[in-house]
Amino acid sequence: ESLNFQLFLKSTKELLSKVVTVSNILDEYKNNPEKINWIKQGVDIHGENPQKCIFCGNSIESDFIKNLKLAFSDELSFLEEKLAAQKNKIQSEIKRLDNIPDINQDDYFKDSASTIENINKDIRHTISNRKEVLTMLESKIQAKQRDIFSKIEIDDLNWDNFSEIQVEINSLHNSTIEHIEQFEKRRTESI
């Protein structure tokens, strides 16, 4: 099923602008998202019960790492999961767009060739626009994943519609049916 882009964009903007709280153990860094991000990555890199710091080689108290882990709330894990889910939706939608076929000229009368060519051009243009928008959104999500404590902004996006193309396709279909009916009528009259 097709992506409801306006809803998807709204939820993505909310995720990108979300500021996750951290416990007061990190109070001194609360206005410095880069450092909090760096600490979070450091905690993740060190794993469950590190004996030594992999950066400086000094020994680490297990309580220190436990407290740092607690500083990063469930809210953060939830945000990370939501960002990953948005990224998956984007990748699924890009795959779906890649599978939209051109209209096959062999299914229609020869005099429809230029109309079909124009419709196919419009289809490819719309697909290209949508993929460009989705790729840009994906890069914003990746930026947030790398720097989860910062707000990421999105400019206005131009999401092309398929509705006008659908009108063209319907018109082509109707005129083809008309052709067939006229042909059948003439054939019947000539018998």
Side-chain angles (χ1 to χ4, degrees):
E1 125 210 6
S2 185
L3 186 72
N4 180 332
F5 181 70
Q6 293 312 320
L7 274 179
F8 183 77
L9 181 61
K10 184 175 181 265
S11 65
T12 302
K13 280 182 172 181
E14 284 168 9
L15 291 173
L16 294 178
S17 63
K18 187 157 184 56
V19 177
V20 176
T21 53
V22 288
S23 80
N24 53 10
I25 191 174
L26 296 173
D27 264 357
E28 64 182 293
Y29 303 114
K30 71 177 168 209
N31 295 322
N32 194 332
E34 291 84 16
K35 282 194 178 150
I36 289 183
N37 212 42
W38 184 79
I39 293 166
K40 162 88 171 73
Q41 288 169 350
V43 169
D44 291 345
I45 287 167
H46 279 86
E48 279 309 307
N49 293 308
Q51 307 300 306
K52 285 186 172 183
C53 171
I54 62 169
F55 299 115
C56 67
N58 289 337
S59 62
I60 297 176
E61 294 176 39
S62 62
D63 281 354
F64 178 68
I65 284 283
K66 277 189 190 119
N67 287 336
L68 278 178
K69 279 182 188 284
L70 290 171
F72 300 106
S73 61
D74 290 343
E75 189 186 5
L76 177 66
S77 306
F78 182 71
L79 178 58
E80 287 172 329
E81 284 168 24
K82 287 293 219 180
L83 287 167
Q86 291 296 84
K87 207 161 98 174
N88 287 340
K89 276 185 194 169
I90 287 174
Q91 288 160 354
S92 297
E93 183 63 11
I94 288 173
K95 275 189 192 131
R96 196 185 72 77
L97 288 168
D98 282 337
N99 289 323
I100 293 176
D102 277 357
I103 291 177
N104 186 351
Q105 291 195 3
D106 297 341
D107 295 341
Y108 295 90
F109 292 106
K110 288 216 181 325
D111 62 358
S112 301
S114 69
T115 303
I116 292 170
E117 203 172 292
N118 287 334
I119 292 173
N120 283 337
K121 205 182 292 177
D122 290 345
I123 289 171
R124 284 191 294 274
H125 180 273
T126 302
I127 289 170
S128 171
N129 157 268
R130 288 185 170 200
K131 283 170 71 173
E132 205 173 288
V133 168
L134 290 167
T135 303
M136 193 280 297
L137 278 178
E138 186 176 23
S139 73
K140 294 285 187 179
I141 289 170
Q142 287 167 334
K144 179 73 170 176
Q145 287 174 314
R146 281 191 303 272
D147 189 4
I148 204 151
F149 297 99
S150 293
K151 281 187 176 189
I152 307 283
E153 299 294 323
I154 300 179
D155 298 327
D156 287 340
L157 299 170
N158 180 28
W159 181 256
D160 284 356
N161 254 321
F162 275 112
S163 52
E164 285 175 25
I165 297 171
Q166 191 57 56
V167 169
E168 292 174 47
I169 292 170
N170 293 345
S171 169
L172 171 70
H173 187 71
N174 292 339
S175 71
T176 304
I177 288 171
E178 231 171 82
H179 266 73
I180 293 168
E181 286 170 352
Q182 285 170 1
F183 175 78
E184 287 295 321
K185 189 178 172 196
R186 283 197 303 271
R187 200 175 65 92
T188 318
E189 288 170 356
S190 67
I191 295 173

